[in-house]
Amino acid sequence: MEFKFSKTVFSKEAILKTVYLWQQNFNILVSEDEYNFILNIESKIENGMFDISKFNSELEEQQLREQLSMQFGNLRDCIYKKAFTHFES
């Protein structure tokens, strides 16, 4: 099976993190063209069915995590550093 995911919607990091979660039951080859990430999927188990709806849902969640991390990562790091400064001494 082959599925395409737009580069304007999903980051490579989100794709790879989601693929990692599915690697136990599926071989997933990730390639790309100018506009899309292309996933070629083969089941590792006999009669294994790939649930594209579930994969897409997990990919959307991972993309949201990536976006939030980009937006608030520096702020989070500053808060952690300030919070634990007392314990570093």
Side-chain angles (χ1 to χ4, degrees), residues 46-87:
E46 193 172 328
N47 298 326
M49 296 298 296
F50 184 76
D51 185 345
I52 187 61
S53 295
K54 185 175 179 183
F55 183 89
N56 196 49
S57 178
E58 290 179 12
L59 178 57
E60 289 171 355
E61 180 181 336
Q62 197 62 246
Q63 182 62 42
L64 179 59
R65 288 180 184 181
E66 292 292 316
Q67 288 173 325
L68 291 175
S69 179
M70 285 177 24
Q71 284 182 318
F72 299 110
N74 289 338
L75 176 60
R76 181 191 65 229
D77 293 343
C78 289
I79 291 170
Y80 283 151
K81 185 175 182 178
K82 184 71 173 173
F84 291 105
T85 300
H86 175 70
F87 298 107

Side-chain angles (χ1 to χ4, degrees), residues 5-86:
F5 296 92
S6 174
K7 289 181 175 181
T8 61
V9 178
F10 299 105
S11 69
K12 189 167 192 170
E13 292 78 15
I15 295 281
L16 294 176
K17 287 179 181 180
T18 306
V19 165
Y20 176 79
L21 297 173
W22 286 68
Q23 71 178 350
Q24 183 174 355
N25 294 323
F26 298 93
N27 288 317
I28 304 175
L29 175 66
V30 180
S31 59
E32 57 186 278
D33 61 22
E34 186 176 353
Y35 303 106
N36 300 295
F37 295 107
I38 304 164
L39 278 57
N40 288 293
I41 301 161
E42 289 182 20
S43 179
K44 290 182 179 179
I45 54 178
E46 193 172 328
N47 298 326
M49 296 298 296
F50 184 76
D51 185 345
I52 187 61
S53 295
K54 185 175 179 183
F55 183 89
N56 196 49
S57 178
E58 290 179 12
L59 178 57
E60 289 171 355
E61 180 181 336
Q62 197 62 246
Q63 182 62 42
L64 179 59
R65 288 180 184 181
E66 292 292 316
Q67 288 173 325
L68 291 175
S69 179
M70 285 177 24
Q71 284 182 318
F72 299 110
N74 289 338
L75 176 60
R76 181 191 65 229
D77 293 343
C78 289
I79 291 170
Y80 283 151
K81 185 175 182 178
K82 184 71 173 173
F84 291 105
T85 300
H86 175 70

